[in-house]
Amino acid sequence: MAGSDPHATLVRFGRALRAEGLPVGPDRVAELGRAAALLRPGELYWAGRATLVSRPEQIEAYDAVFGRFFGPPTPTPGPPLRLRVEAEVEEDVGLASRAETLREKSFAQCSREELSELAELMGRIELAVPRRRTRRREPARSGTPDLRRTLRRSFRTGGDPLERAWRRRRPRARRLILLLDVSGSMDAYSRALVLFAHAALRSDRRFEAFCFGTRLTRVTRQLEGSDPDEALRRAAAEVLDWDGGTRIGECLQRFLDEHGHGGLARGAVVVLCSDGLDVGDPELLAEQMARLSRLAYRVVWLNPLKGDPAYAPLARGMQAALPHVDLFASGHNLASLEEVGRALARRYGR
Amino acid sequence: MRFGSAREVEEALRRESYLPDRGLATAVYLALAMRRPLLLEGEAGVGKTEVGKTLARLLGAELVRLQCYEGIDASQALYEWDYARQLLYARALQAGEVSVDERVAELYGPDFLVERPVLRALRAGAGAVLLVDELDRADDEFEAFLLEVLSDFTVTVPELGTIAVDEPPVVVITSNRTRELHDALKRRCLYHWIEFPDVEREAQIIRLRVPGVEEALARSVAETVARLRALDLVKRPGAAEAIDWAAALTLVGAPAAEGEPARETLGAAVKNREDQARVEAAWAELVE
């Protein structure tokens, strides 16, 4: 269906790719035009591959659209793509003993009063989010020698470097992002987790929280107030699909599309709270989890069901997600949440 | 050296013992003709780095390699002042061994500048191939810095002024895709995802790279490695591993990748304990 005007055809081709989700702007189409001009007509397929595709997941969509426009492409089919993932899953975080204290009591069994009490305690959890080193260096008492400052100071002492100076990379806490499943099956835990998110957001202005079920909503603003219960009511109002089923894969996709590459999730610690009882497509979930694990610094999954010693992650959604999770814990009571906070600090350093 | 078509690039790479598929050859040709950085992604061991090295040989250019790592910063990529020499020089000034006034400026002159890979490649211009290896290991900040450099190929050293080039160096960036690179950087580059080679091409690669390897052995290794890749391994063996394994089997005098010799030399291809257990369990189907 290639038209008579080659430029118009390429523009329409670019538009069709954009409709398939490839980031093909006018600049890219111009690139394609330049590349195509350098190649023979039969090589248009590869001209587009080099200029319009920028990650392997896009190849399939590109091939399909290319086929619609210019007939079947002639690439050499490679083996199916499998993305490399770190399958390191931590199994035994949390839950040492089952002493009947509030700390150990499952959120599902807590009364409203007990939860309010817990909300207080949650505020004291120190979320030791790992730090990252920034490009900037700052003067410090120890570290690597700061020769520039040492040299400068040496001018004061007649060229002798008597006073030595040091510097180090300025560390900065990573962002923490909470994704809370508030669907029907999580009902018993939703309230406690929102309280937890409320406490976490108050500890750092850069933290973010989202609620999801069949849809995803950002609730950072709603949770910024001072009263957790009021915040919970407002979050509930915002999350319209409260008590509906869960489509984790789609919600995650939406989260990544809107906030992932923009920078929110990049290099962050992402904590997903969900029982993994997903009614969506597990393949989509696996794909999106792989995306998330490449963008985020660490991915933590809190599954309250894991609080039960007999629990095995058999749900299809959970199985699809696990290979992309760095830390898998229960988060069903205060002790477990505290343990997660410590585990982040211990395993990944401050 | 200029190329007139993707096919010419393919043939030239072949002459340098690198066997590209058509897509890669086209991407390389376009990167050269359009003067764009070439971003290569693919699993470890598919020969991404090799592309940069081979290209440098092919173009008769100097290979300037920048190996990225977590925490790399601009001073390690661009330039640094040789502070130790500056200190010594300052001492000499103070002792009156050199006259002071006109010499102070020299403290920040070219003599004391330590060139790092990016600056070195920029100064060499078209005479260099800048290989930015494993960019996914570096931090976001470094990526942003690199984007700046690749956008206009100029660098400003405050004490010396701006360094710009008429003809930029050829730039090859590789990533193992342990994290996603920024879209802004990708927009600057031409992109190619390198697949594992098919059995035919892998056998050819082995024969090119392993001296004295029998054709039957090369083919047998290529076939077995292809089967290994179909297993659900943590680290799938790349072409580099296939080459190592063929070399190991050649050394022990095995005619094919099977039986005891294959089992004993498996460590050349599979380098992870869980993976070895996995291969061990599937051994019977692997080496029919």
Side-chain angles (χ1 to χ4, degrees):
Chain A
M1 69 183 262
S4 51
D5 178 3
H7 275 285
T9 307
L10 291 188
V11 169
R12 275 190 293 120
F13 180 49
R15 212 172 286 153
L17 286 169
R18 198 155 53 234
E20 292 292 323
L22 272 73
V24 177
D27 59 326
R28 296 274 87 192
V29 175
E31 278 294 86
L32 170 64
R34 287 180 60 202
L38 287 162
L39 296 171
R40 277 172 292 184
E43 294 173 325
L44 183 65
Y45 173 83
W46 287 113
R49 272 284 298 268
T51 53
L52 306 180
V53 173
S54 60
R55 53 185 75 115
E57 293 88 348
Q58 296 165 347
I59 295 174
E60 203 183 323
Y62 173 82
D63 283 356
V65 175
F66 187 93
R68 272 205 329 263
F69 270 76
F70 308 104
T74 51
T76 44
L81 176 68
R82 201 206 56 164
L83 301 172
R84 203 177 76 87
V85 290
E86 297 287 333
E88 186 195 317
V89 180
E90 180 69 11
E91 285 289 356
D92 53 22
V93 174
L95 263 188
S97 68
R98 274 208 166 269
E100 270 302 315
T101 62
L102 196 53
R103 178 165 267 114
E104 302 284 337
K105 191 167 180 179
S106 170
F107 293 140
Q109 268 119 47
C110 288
S111 65
R112 277 195 78 83
E113 289 69 37
E114 282 173 322
L115 277 182
S116 304
E117 215 173 304
L118 278 171
E120 189 114 333
L121 291 169
M122 284 176 184
R124 294 190 207 142
I125 295 181
E126 201 203 342
L127 276 168
V129 181
R131 297 179 181 192
R132 63 186 182 85
R133 292 188 305 170
T134 56
R135 205 164 122 191
R136 230 166 250 290
R137 291 172 194 269
E138 61 181 9
R141 284 176 183 280
S142 62
T144 51
D146 185 341
L147 290 168
R148 189 188 286 258
R149 268 170 60 239
T150 303
L151 179 63
R152 188 130 302 164
R153 286 184 191 180
S154 77
F155 293 145
R156 271 187 251 146
T157 49
D160 281 320
L162 299 177
E163 242 184 292
R164 270 166 290 177
W166 311 91
R167 62 181 187 164
R168 60 166 190 167
R169 290 286 183 70
R170 179 183 298 165
R172 189 169 181 191
R174 290 173 185 274
R175 193 195 300 276
L176 181 80
I177 300 177
L178 292 157
L179 301 176
L180 309 175
D181 181 349
V182 294
S183 63
S185 60
M186 284 286 285
D187 197 26
Y189 301 96
S190 301
R191 190 160 179 271
L193 291 174
V194 169
L195 292 175
F196 173 57
H198 175 81
L201 290 183
R202 284 166 62 83
S203 71
D204 191 318
R205 288 195 56 81
R206 290 164 58 247
F207 289 0
E208 296 276 348
F210 294 80
C211 284
F212 69 90
T214 45
R215 294 188 306 103
L216 176 96
T217 324
R218 188 175 188 171
V219 294
T220 311
R221 294 284 155 283
Q222 286 70 25
L223 282 172
E224 269 173 357
S226 58
D227 175 16
D229 275 314
E230 168 63 16
L232 176 56
R233 267 194 302 281
R234 275 191 282 168
E238 183 78 9
V239 183
L240 298 173
D241 43 15
W242 191 272
D243 281 10
T246 325
R247 294 183 171 277
I248 311 177
E250 279 163 42
C251 292
L252 208 50
Q253 182 166 33
R254 169 124 187 261
F255 168 70
L256 289 169
D257 285 348
E258 287 180 11
H259 307 286
H261 295 273
L264 209 56
R266 187 180 285 280
V269 174
V270 178
V271 179
L272 249 149
C273 309
S274 169
D275 52 16
L277 300 176
D278 186 25
V279 298
D281 177 6
E283 259 178 51
L284 178 71
L285 177 56
E287 208 174 278
Q288 297 307 317
M289 284 299 290
R291 256 180 94 190
L292 176 66
S293 76
R294 282 195 304 272
L295 274 171
Y297 177 71
R298 293 291 183 260
V299 178
V300 179
W301 190 302
L302 301 181
N303 184 342
L305 301 182
K306 194 170 177 285
D308 180 351
Y311 170 77
L314 296 178
R316 286 184 315 159
M318 201 61 240
Q319 281 196 328
L322 267 187
H324 312 285
V325 172
D326 297 299
L327 182 70
F328 185 41
S330 69
H332 74 298
N333 62 17
L334 186 65
S336 169
L337 289 181
E338 287 173 338
E339 181 57 29
V340 168
R342 280 195 294 274
L344 280 175
R346 187 174 63 240
R347 299 183 65 220
Y348 306 121
R350 282 213 69 147
Chain B
M1 190 166 185
R2 303 240 176 239
F3 300 99
S5 70
R7 184 168 290 274
E8 278 178 36
V9 172
E10 191 174 344
E11 278 158 12
L13 285 172
R14 272 171 190 276
R15 279 197 299 279
E16 291 291 333
S17 304
Y18 189 95
L19 304 186
D21 61 24
R22 177 48 65 86
L24 177 58
T26 310
V28 170
Y29 166 66
L30 287 175
L32 293 175
M34 296 166 75
R35 296 192 183 165
R36 281 304 177 103
L38 178 59
L39 170 60
L40 298 174
E41 287 192 322
E43 294 199 39
V46 291
K48 299 183 293 292
T49 304
E50 227 23 63
V51 173
K53 291 183 180 170
T54 311
L55 209 51
R57 277 207 305 279
L58 195 61
L59 299 169
E62 179 193 5
L63 176 72
V64 183
R65 181 172 177 172
L66 176 66
Q67 173 66 52
C68 298
Y69 50 87
E70 197 175 341
I72 187 173
D73 65 17
S75 68
Q76 283 132 16
L78 207 52
Y79 70 90
E80 247 181 328
W81 291 104
D82 190 340
Y83 296 110
R85 279 193 66 197
Q86 282 178 327
L87 272 176
L88 285 174
Y89 196 72
R91 287 291 297 272
L93 282 177
Q94 215 257 332
E97 284 160 29
V98 275
S99 64
V100 182
D101 292 343
E102 70 270 32
R103 298 297 163 89
V104 168
E106 287 178 13
L107 269 176
Y108 287 101
D111 283 355
F112 297 96
L113 188 74
V114 185
E115 266 183 4
R116 299 286 182 208
V118 172
L119 183 60
R120 186 180 177 81
L122 275 183
R123 283 187 158 174
V129 170
L130 174 62
L131 173 62
V132 182
D133 220 1
E134 302 188 324
L135 181 58
D136 52 332
R137 286 204 199 176
D139 309 312
D140 290 351
E141 287 80 7
F142 184 75
E143 214 181 304
F145 155 77
L146 196 68
L147 176 66
E148 238 173 85
V149 173
L150 295 183
S151 295
D152 48 9
F153 290 104
T154 60
V155 159
T156 302
V157 180
E159 295 88 348
L160 288 185
T162 299
I163 295 163
V165 285
D166 304 332
E167 223 179 325
V170 175
V171 181
V172 176
I173 302 171
T174 78
S175 157
N176 285 329
R177 210 160 179 263
T178 53
R179 70 177 177 87
E180 198 72 70
L181 299 180
H182 281 265
D183 289 338
L185 184 85
K186 287 183 167 182
R187 270 200 299 279
R188 292 294 314 161
C189 301
L190 296 179
Y191 178 86
H192 186 70
W193 171 262
I194 304 189
E195 294 282 2
F196 286 119
D198 56 26
V199 171
E200 196 59 46
R201 206 152 57 81
E202 185 136 56
Q204 282 183 42
I205 292 171
I206 292 170
R207 288 180 61 203
L208 265 175
R209 290 303 175 89
V210 183
V213 69
E214 294 292 330
E215 188 170 348
L217 175 62
R219 172 156 280 281
S220 154
V221 168
E223 279 168 359
T224 311
V225 166
R227 274 186 233 124
L228 283 175
R229 285 181 195 140
L231 292 177
D232 189 23
L233 300 184
V234 174
K235 166 72 188 79
R236 296 198 283 176
E241 278 76 24
I243 291 168
D244 282 353
W245 200 20
L249 285 163
T250 308
L251 276 177
V252 299
E258 57 189 30
E260 270 315 295
R263 206 184 278 250
E264 279 159 8
T265 52
L266 185 64
V270 180
K271 300 168 182 170
N272 175 303
R273 202 174 65 83
E274 285 76 28
D275 284 353
Q276 288 196 334
R278 183 92 187 70
V279 171
E280 207 55 48
W283 189 255
E285 308 129 55
L286 277 174
V287 287
E288 281 135 12

